Amino acid sequence: QVHMVESGGGSVQAGGSLRLSCAASGRTFYSMGWFRQAPGKAREFVAGVVMSDGYTAYADSVKGRFTISRDNTENTVYLQMNSLKPEDTAVYYCVADGITWIKTGPPRYWGQGTQVTVSS
């Protein structure tokens, strides 16, 4: 059974930083990453990483501000979020998939979500 544990959400003022962590267990994963959902909006891809080779991808809205990294030995991914904006306010979900690239197909595994609130 797959378990995903997220941590690191919270509240911060615009321009501040937060770091999200996600530890997954139960199997190995091809890719992991983060989606987010703001109030009244659909869930959207934020960032992803291929666990085997470290290839990364980002949504255009976060490029240059967010950095995703991984620890293969611990099946853990991190999202360093800098220069946060009020529009980054959302519930952030850790996601993973054992076979596919999370950006192109609906990820199979989802964490419970962690709230990120950025005030102006």
Side-chain angles (χ1 to χ4, degrees), residues 29-108:
F29 302 99
Y30 173 74
S31 64
M32 295 182 67
W34 300 87
F35 276 59
R36 69 184 180 186
Q37 187 169 23
K41 295 187 176 181
R43 286 183 182 181
E44 62 175 358
F45 169 80
V46 176
V49 60
V50 175
M51 300 302 283
S52 60
D53 62 12
Y55 171 82
T56 60
Y58 298 90
D60 288 343
S61 58
V62 306
K63 280 181 182 176
R65 299 188 298 122
F66 290 11
T67 302
I68 189 169
S69 59
R70 81 202 194 284
D71 181 343
N72 265 346
T73 62
E74 300 292 334
N75 250 5
T76 300
V77 292
Y78 306 94
L79 187 68
Q80 178 66 42
M81 304 184 294
N82 298 330
S83 302
L84 282 161
K85 304 176 181 179
E87 51 264 44
D88 294 317
T89 295
V91 176
Y92 284 70
Y93 296 90
C94 179
V95 299
D97 199 285
I99 300 173
T100 62
W101 176 220
I102 60 163
K103 185 180 180 183
T104 58
R108 179 171 180 181

